Amino acid sequence: MFDKIDNLSSQTRILIAVLLALAFFVPYSYFYKPQMNENNATQATTREMQNVAPIQQVDSGKITQDTARVSNPNHATLATIESKNFTYKIDRLGRIAEVALKEKKYQKDSTPLMLFSEDIANPSNPKILEIRFSDSLLNQKAFNVPYSANLNTLEIKDKPQSITLIQELGEVKIEKVLTFYPNGYYEAKIKIPQNYTYFVSPGMRPSVENDSYVFKGVIVKESDNTITTIEDGDAQGQSNYANASILAAVDRYYATLIFDKSNNLNVTILSNPSENPMPFVSAEGELQLKGYIGPKDYRLLETIDPNLTDVVEYGIITFFAKPLFLLLDKLYNLCGNWGWAIILLTLIVRVVLYPLTYKGMVSMQKLKDLAPKMKELQQKYKGEPQKLQAHMMELYKKHGANPMGGCLPLLLQMPVFFAIYRVLFNAIELKGAAWLLWINDLSVMDPYFILPILMGGTMYLQQHLTPTAFNDPMQEKIFKFLPLIFTIFFVTFPSGLVLYWFVNNIFSIIQQLLINKALERKKAREIAEHKHKDD
């Protein structure tokens, strides 16, 4: 066993760390499934919810209703809300059925970005501010009778504007007063007779970002600040969360949400046939809601309500990634460019991690110097593993070397690198952010592959500067291909993330050169001292 440990040369340790990094990045990003909170307390619901027909029954009727309403005129637009930054269309069932973002950095092919698309496979999916009743007959009627509006068009400039929607269902009258603000924030006052239990939805998640590397689904923030996430494909049956403060449906960059500072949201999550979560808030009588539709821009959400910044989700490493983003944001405010802010962040991280990196590099240099003596011992005690182990331990002890000393610091740095990866991969602030001449958007891949190639080249150069002492030819061959593997792996990654890795390589090369020179000077002094003693 020990002869295998002996073969953990300096470069082999880097190889292990890099391969572990790959093993950490790819499977985590692809397979990570946020865990649902199964606490019985979060499954509790109000007494009123327990005494009404289950919402699944409503949903069953709703699926049939939706199927029948493919050509229903109630899908037509009742009112249009126009702003400099967005366009909302309210359909004749009183729902915000379409949302288009008009800001240039969010546009797709020079046209406004549509946040939602019709899910033909799941016609029961709710739209924004859709109301469903626990009474199945009333619910069916509500999906057949159109609303009326006091305005057909509403233009929002600097001040909020309101629109009133009314639906007459015989003895039951529904009134929605919706107030829209220029930044995507809205307020909804819903009036329904007290003796009817109903459910209001913030809508399904935006359908813009659909790749498998990001979280897509529903986020619930409960009164004890617990964050519960239900990812697409993971919703099972019905889940209830009493006294929540946020109910959000999100993809990588965008969100539609309802929130309440007083923690008065009684949340119900259903699953559709694809097992994607369908979010609702239950109520009786008058209900006042606050909501938001738009990008998960940290500072924008903070201006609406600091509590909403929890919608920007980084997975299990959020506790560490969030402070890193705030640091990146401060650096952006300092230099005015996200690309240069990433470079400054990289420099700060390198400085903070310098003690660990220095120890690792010194340890690798010591092991490189001991490589000839290690080979002599391996030849001398070939077939005698116990004697080899004893003499190798003595050699390490004599020269103050640690066979794992070069690997451990690298492994300790991995959480930092992964947190930065999560920050740069999820930051919509990089959307449309330019850097230098050819990078017009740090949130997408480099169109000319310049950054990935530079990253691979600097990684190759770093390999040649790092102390090497391979004992296994196969490991050496694999290691030489790592720059190419990383280059291919990073080609499709956001250029902001590749920029970080490239600059990190540059700083590593500079640091390696400085440490190599320091070690050479130290070795020269030691040789001079030995000669002086011999004389």
Side-chain angles (χ1 to χ4, degrees):
M1 177 181 176
F2 188 78
D3 55 345
K4 293 181 181 178
I5 296 176
D6 295 334
N7 289 333
L8 288 177
S9 61
S10 55
Q11 285 293 71
T12 307
R13 272 178 285 279
I14 299 179
L15 173 62
I16 293 172
V18 171
L19 291 177
L20 282 173
L22 279 172
F24 194 53
F25 278 122
V26 182
Y28 180 91
S29 298
Y30 192 85
F31 295 110
Y32 169 65
K33 302 288 186 184
Q35 297 297 313
M36 289 181 60
N37 187 346
E38 298 295 338
N39 192 311
N40 289 335
T42 63
Q43 300 301 316
T45 186
T46 60
R47 180 177 301 173
E48 291 76 11
M49 276 287 291
Q50 294 170 346
N51 291 332
V52 298
I55 195 170
Q56 289 101 323
Q57 181 180 340
V58 179
D59 190 49
S60 299
K62 175 68 166 48
I63 293 174
T64 305
Q65 184 74 19
D66 272 345
T67 304
R69 287 187 293 111
V70 173
S71 59
N72 194 313
N74 288 337
H75 277 204
T77 299
L78 176 66
T80 301
I81 316 300
E82 289 285 357
S83 166
K84 180 180 70 174
N85 296 327
F86 59 79
T87 298
Y88 299 159
K89 290 189 176 180
I90 299 175
D91 68 11
R92 297 188 70 191
L93 290 175
R95 312 172 301 183
I96 300 176
E98 292 184 21
V99 175
L101 300 185
K102 299 196 287 190
E103 287 183 76
K104 185 177 180 180
K105 65 179 180 178
Y106 303 130
Q107 289 183 1
K108 188 174 183 180
D109 300 326
S110 300
T111 59
L113 178 67
M114 301 301 294
L115 284 192
F116 304 95
S117 59
E118 192 69 30
D119 191 345
I120 298 174
N122 297 293
S124 63
N125 286 348
K127 291 180 170 59
I128 300 171
L129 294 178
E130 179 175 306
I131 294 178
R132 300 186 186 184
F133 289 91
S134 61
D135 184 316
S136 59
L137 293 177
L138 182 59
N139 187 69
Q140 185 177 7
K141 194 172 185 179
F143 279 103
N144 282 284
V145 177
Y147 278 74
S148 61
N150 66 328
L151 298 168
N152 293 325
T153 59
L154 188 65
E155 186 176 0
I156 304 168
K157 293 183 178 179
D158 298 327
K159 296 180 180 179
Q161 299 288 335
S162 298
I163 184 172
T164 300
L165 310 175
I166 293 177
Q167 186 183 41
E168 298 282 356
L169 301 177
E171 297 179 355
V172 179
K173 177 182 177 181
I174 301 172
E175 181 180 324
K176 293 181 183 178
V177 179
L178 309 180
T179 304
F180 297 97
Y181 290 70
N183 59 359
Y185 166 69
Y186 69 85
E187 295 170 348
K189 181 183 288 186
I190 300 173
K191 293 181 180 180
I192 293 177
Q194 182 68 36
N195 54 333
Y196 292 96
T197 299
Y198 62 96
F199 306 87
V200 184
S201 178
M204 297 294 286
R205 70 164 178 85
S207 53
V208 180
E209 300 287 337
N210 293 309
D211 61 74
S212 56
Y213 287 91
V214 297
F215 171 78
K216 306 176 294 292
V218 168
I219 295 174
V220 181
K221 184 172 183 180
E222 300 174 66
S223 56
D224 61 355
N225 293 323
T226 299
I227 304 293
T228 300
T229 55
I230 305 99
E231 192 165 14
D232 281 2
D234 284 353
Q236 299 289 332
Q238 176 175 328
S239 301
N240 301 315
Y241 305 86
N243 304 318
S245 61
I246 300 175
L247 174 60
V250 306
D251 68 2
R252 176 183 178 185
Y253 285 142
Y254 306 97
T256 174
L257 60 87
I258 290 171
F259 68 101
D260 187 300
K261 294 181 180 180
S262 303
N263 299 320
N264 287 328
L265 300 180
N266 293 312
V267 171
T268 293
I269 307 295
L270 299 179
S271 60
N272 68 9
S274 299
E275 296 188 343
N276 297 336
M278 301 193 301
F280 293 89
V281 170
S282 67
E284 283 189 6
E286 185 173 312
L287 176 65
Q288 295 191 35
L289 294 172
K290 301 177 188 296
Y292 170 79
I293 312 167
K296 293 192 295 183
D297 182 293
Y298 189 94
R299 292 304 178 192
L300 173 58
L301 292 171
E302 188 178 46
T303 59
I304 295 172
D305 187 336
N307 198 36
L308 295 184
T309 58
D310 287 327
V311 172
V312 184
E313 205 266 343
Y314 302 108
I316 59 174
I317 207 162
T318 297
F319 73 96
F320 187 43
K322 193 170 183 178
L324 277 176
F325 170 78
L326 294 176
L327 173 59
L328 180 66
D329 183 66
K330 288 187 179 297
L331 294 172
Y332 167 75
N333 291 332
L334 179 67
C335 64
N337 181 278
W338 286 105
W340 294 114
I342 290 171
I343 292 173
L344 290 175
L345 176 66
T346 312
L347 176 60
I348 291 172
V349 170
R350 294 300 307 186
V351 170
V352 171
L353 295 178
Y354 178 78
L356 279 176
T357 308
Y358 178 79
K359 287 181 180 179
M361 289 180 173
V362 169
S363 181
M364 286 190 288
Q365 184 64 48
K366 286 181 179 180
L367 292 169
K368 179 190 174 184
D369 295 340
L370 291 176
K373 294 182 179 179
M374 290 165 62
K375 286 183 179 180
E376 289 178 9
L377 290 173
Q378 287 167 353
Q379 290 295 325
K380 185 176 180 180
Y381 297 104
K382 190 175 183 180
E384 299 180 86
Q386 291 184 346
K387 287 186 178 181
L388 177 61
Q389 179 179 1
H391 284 85
M392 291 293 282
M393 290 299 293
E394 185 179 341
L395 181 66
Y396 291 146
K397 186 176 181 180
K398 180 179 178 181
H399 294 274
N402 183 349
M404 294 301 293
C407 184
L408 186 59
L410 290 171
L411 293 176
L412 292 175
Q413 293 176 43
M414 282 174 54
V416 179
F417 295 148
F418 185 63
I420 292 174
Y421 156 76
R422 295 289 293 184
V423 166
L424 297 180
F425 199 82
N426 288 278
I428 195 173
E429 287 77 4
L430 301 185
K431 198 81 172 173
W435 180 74
L436 293 186
L437 297 175
W438 79 98
I439 299 293
N440 297 317
D441 190 341
L442 287 166
S443 71
V444 300
M445 62 183 285
D446 185 334
Y448 303 107
F449 312 117
I450 295 173
L451 278 176
I453 292 171
L454 289 174
M455 187 209 69
T458 52
M459 187 175 180
Y460 179 79
L461 178 59
Q462 185 184 356
Q463 281 186 352
H464 283 267
L465 291 174
T466 306
T468 59
F470 277 109
N471 293 318
D472 187 340
M474 181 57 68
Q475 289 177 348
E476 185 174 9
K477 288 180 182 178
I478 294 173
F479 191 80
K480 286 181 179 179
F481 276 102
L482 281 178
L484 178 60
I485 294 171
F486 263 67
T487 300
I488 296 171
F489 184 64
F490 273 73
V491 158
T492 59
F493 270 39
S495 51
L497 179 61
V498 185
L499 174 63
Y500 164 77
W501 208 275
F502 163 61
V503 175
N504 185 68
N505 287 348
I506 294 291
F507 289 146
S508 295
I509 289 169
I510 295 171
Q511 187 171 308
Q512 185 70 64
L513 288 170
L514 294 174
I515 290 175
N516 286 352
K517 287 184 178 180
L519 292 173
E520 286 173 7
R521 289 194 296 269
K522 182 180 178 182
K523 188 182 292 185
R525 286 197 303 269
E526 290 175 352
I527 292 172
E529 289 175 1
H530 282 300
K531 285 185 177 179
H532 180 72
K533 288 180 180 178
D534 292 340
D535 294 340

